[in-house]
Amino acid sequence: MAKTKTIYFCQNCGYESAKWLGKCPSCNEWNTFVEELQQKSSKNDWNNTGLSKKSSRPKLIKEVSAEKSERIDTRDGELNRVLGGGIVPGSVILIAGEPGIGKSTLMLQIGLSLKNKILYVSGEESEQQIKMRADRMSESLNDHCYILSETSTQNIFQQAQEVIPELIIVDSIQTLHSNQVESSAGSVSQVRQTTAELIKYAKESATPIFLVGHITKDGAIAGPKVLEHMVDTVLQFEGDRHLTYRILRTTKNRFGSTSELGIYEMMGNGLRQVSNPSEILISQKEGDISGVTIGATIEGNRPLMIEIQSLVSNAAYGTPQRSSTGYDAKRLNMLLAVLEKRCGFRLGLQDVFLNMAGGIKVEDPAMDLAVCCSIISSLEEISISEKACFAAEVGLGGELRTVNRLENRIAEAEKLGFESIYISKYGLKGLDQKKHQIEIKPFSKMNDVFGELFG
């Protein structure tokens, strides 16, 4: 017989306690402990994964065979880039995002496009619902994608032994439950237990698994924080449900870079890959508009040209407002202080609103010069040429600092038809200007750039 005992879990961070506590000693949140019954497996219980338990012994690191296994091509260039070149066999990938953002659509799209044998497990939709969505996304359905509407991990493993899939997709991890734990699906202990069983199956069978995860109202992945530590890769699917563009971002990746970015467009028949995101991040406009500049940034290995929009107006209610969308508000305040102290612009009584076009979030300091020029353009009501772009960091003394991978930024600007790019003169070292047709304008101080642009 299996033994049961009562355990208290913190719903916020997953901290475990033998008794109820008012304040969690791990995350310092109040009234987050819930009571759950946990069932301990006896020796005669059935092995969860149905696989033989391998006994291991310590080995010297030079004795371990490092056979390089080929990654699985997802036939999706954006997803391949974010994963670091494809799916690693035996890896567990968690993809999370807001409701309705397109997580299930992306996963089903991958399942229908791959030629490998896929097992798509859904605990949220029936088989008929998935079939209706698949018909809308693809006219010809392949013979490699198996659909299973199930929430019990034991039943999932039994079906996986019969199908022997090359890739498993679970939508979603919060709907699964295991017989080893006496609590409702979606609880801290169930999410942790079901994830542990899936990870064990993935590692022992070398079968990669995609887990779709929910998020809380604060934007964090629902369930214990240890969930993100257990999996190999964590992907965040971002975007506004009312807009068409979606951004797939890596927050953890054991097999690649964590700074990569993929962009999709939500269409009626699924998600379309955006191979040239710079075009969608630069809006098409008629006439000259003040407060609009173009900045050159780098996301992972991909250079992007992003439109920056600023609006500076008199503070109508006495206290000036500082609002930014897609840009760090603290860095904006720092740049405003530099403009006022080092450049002499009176911004203390002005409302300043800043927006990164396309709904993208930018943390690259190379956008500093573009942000400053956009703000002064709106303040002085002088438009900046749409054929000019900027790539330089601004120091606290008003000096321009060079940025990394300047060659890639210049090449992207030239490819998109820009005629000039403003950079720091300290970035000219090692830069071959002759091979670029675009005019490179180097400056050492921000005041010199303003003199060039606004006279």
Side-chain angles (χ1 to χ4, degrees):
M1 291 293 293
K3 299 178 181 179
T4 60
K5 69 173 183 176
T6 301
I7 296 179
Y8 294 87
F9 285 100
C10 173
Q11 291 180 305
N12 186 55
C13 67
Y15 182 83
E16 180 180 328
S17 174
K19 62 180 181 179
W20 186 87
L21 299 174
K23 181 180 181 181
C24 176
S26 177
C27 63
N28 296 323
E29 292 289 332
W30 288 88
N31 300 323
T32 57
F33 277 87
V34 292
E35 178 184 3
E36 293 183 1
L37 293 176
Q38 189 171 38
Q39 182 177 2
K40 284 192 170 182
S41 303
S42 62
K43 294 182 180 179
N44 296 326
D45 278 342
W46 177 67
N47 184 12
N48 297 330
T49 61
L51 300 172
S52 60
K53 296 183 179 179
K54 299 178 181 178
S55 58
S56 58
R57 61 177 183 84
K59 294 181 181 178
L60 288 173
I61 190 168
K62 63 180 181 181
E63 295 178 355
V64 179
S65 59
E67 297 179 1
K68 193 171 183 180
S69 56
E70 292 187 3
R71 293 181 182 241
I72 301 174
D73 183 8
T74 63
R75 296 176 175 268
D76 185 323
E78 300 297 302
L79 184 59
N80 279 343
R81 178 187 293 107
V82 170
L83 293 176
I87 305 172
V88 176
S91 63
V92 180
I93 303 161
L94 174 65
I95 177 170
E98 292 184 356
I101 205 70
K103 305 183 298 296
S104 301
T105 301
L106 177 62
M107 290 295 98
L108 184 57
Q109 200 165 296
I110 297 301
L112 294 175
S113 62
L114 281 175
K115 298 300 182 183
N116 306 67
K117 190 181 291 186
I118 310 295
L119 177 61
Y120 186 96
V121 181
S122 177
E124 299 177 344
E125 297 177 287
S126 64
E127 296 173 356
Q128 290 75 18
Q129 289 176 307
I130 300 172
K131 178 65 164 57
M132 289 172 59
R133 189 148 47 90
D135 289 336
R136 189 182 75 245
M137 293 167 55
S138 178
E139 296 180 358
S140 59
L141 302 180
N142 60 38
D143 299 328
H144 308 283
C145 186
Y146 292 82
I147 302 298
L148 175 63
S149 183
E150 182 60 72
T151 58
S152 171
T153 54
Q154 281 70 29
N155 294 340
I156 291 172
F157 293 133
Q158 286 180 349
Q159 299 302 324
Q161 281 185 302
E162 297 181 7
V163 175
I164 313 178
E166 297 174 71
L167 174 67
I168 298 178
I169 299 171
V170 178
D171 184 14
S172 65
I173 187 61
Q174 278 81 13
T175 61
L176 299 189
H177 69 88
S178 170
N179 296 336
Q180 305 301 311
V181 178
E182 290 288 337
S183 61
S184 59
S187 63
V188 172
S189 55
Q190 279 287 7
V191 170
R192 183 164 52 185
Q193 176 66 25
T194 53
T195 304
E197 292 180 9
L198 289 168
I199 290 175
K200 181 180 179 183
Y201 177 88
K203 302 305 179 187
E204 293 186 359
S205 63
T207 305
I209 298 179
F210 273 98
L211 304 178
V212 176
H214 298 166
I215 65 170
T216 63
K217 61 181 180 181
D218 298 325
I221 299 176
K225 191 68 176 177
V226 71
L227 175 63
E228 299 177 51
H229 293 283
M230 295 168 69
V231 299
D232 298 308
T233 305
V234 179
L235 305 180
Q236 200 80 21
F237 212 25
E238 304 172 353
D240 192 332
R241 286 178 294 171
H242 306 293
L243 299 178
T244 58
Y245 295 107
R246 305 286 189 266
I247 297 173
L248 187 62
R249 194 185 302 271
T250 316
T251 58
K252 173 190 175 181
N253 193 357
R254 288 175 178 160
F255 311 110
S257 172
T258 57
S259 57
E260 290 294 349
L261 185 108
I263 299 182
Y264 295 89
E265 183 181 5
M266 179 63 78
M267 309 288 286
N269 59 349
L271 291 163
R272 182 184 72 86
Q273 304 173 47
V274 179
S275 57
N276 189 6
S278 295
E279 293 183 355
I280 70 166
L281 297 174
I282 301 175
S283 63
Q284 305 297 324
K285 56 184 181 297
E286 293 184 4
D288 295 331
I289 302 175
S290 63
V292 177
T293 57
I294 308 297
T297 184
I298 295 282
E299 286 286 348
N301 293 322
R302 166 184 280 183
L304 299 176
M305 308 302 291
I306 299 178
E307 180 178 303
I308 301 167
Q309 303 169 346
S310 295
L311 177 63
V312 179
S313 62
N314 292 328
Y317 303 104
T319 303
Q321 301 182 62
R322 304 285 189 261
S323 176
S324 63
T325 303
Y327 192 75
D328 185 15
K330 292 182 178 179
R331 191 160 190 88
L332 172 61
N333 290 331
M334 184 201 77
L335 294 177
L336 293 175
V338 172
L339 288 173
E340 183 148 355
K341 178 74 173 179
R342 305 297 182 185
C343 304
F345 293 100
R346 299 299 179 187
L347 296 166
L349 297 178
Q350 304 288 328
D351 290 337
V352 180
F353 303 94
L354 186 71
N355 176 51
M356 297 290 161
I360 194 169
K361 294 180 182 178
V362 179
E363 297 178 354
D364 190 358
M367 303 293 287
D368 288 354
L369 181 58
V371 169
C372 292
C373 292
S374 173
I375 292 171
I376 301 306
S377 171
S378 178
L379 177 67
E380 301 292 335
E381 286 294 335
I382 301 175
S383 62
I384 296 176
S385 172
E386 61 181 13
K387 295 297 183 180
C389 60
F390 304 84
E393 180 183 354
V394 174
L396 293 180
E399 77 279 7
L400 298 184
R401 305 170 64 89
T402 187
V403 294
N404 63 339
R405 298 176 61 187
L406 187 59
E407 189 88 23
N408 294 2
R409 302 173 199 261
I410 295 174
E412 178 73 8
E414 184 177 350
K415 185 177 72 173
L416 293 176
F418 287 92
E419 297 175 356
S420 61
I421 181 169
Y422 292 77
I423 65 171
S424 169
K425 74 172 187 179
Y426 304 108
L428 292 177
K429 185 178 180 180
L431 183 65
D432 186 6
Q433 302 184 52
K434 295 181 180 179
K435 70 176 184 179
H436 297 292
Q437 300 295 326
I438 187 173
E439 183 182 2
I440 300 174
K441 296 187 175 182
F443 293 90
S444 60
K445 292 187 177 181
M446 201 160 42
N447 277 327
D448 299 335
V449 178
F450 295 153
E452 168 86 11
L453 293 172
F454 308 117

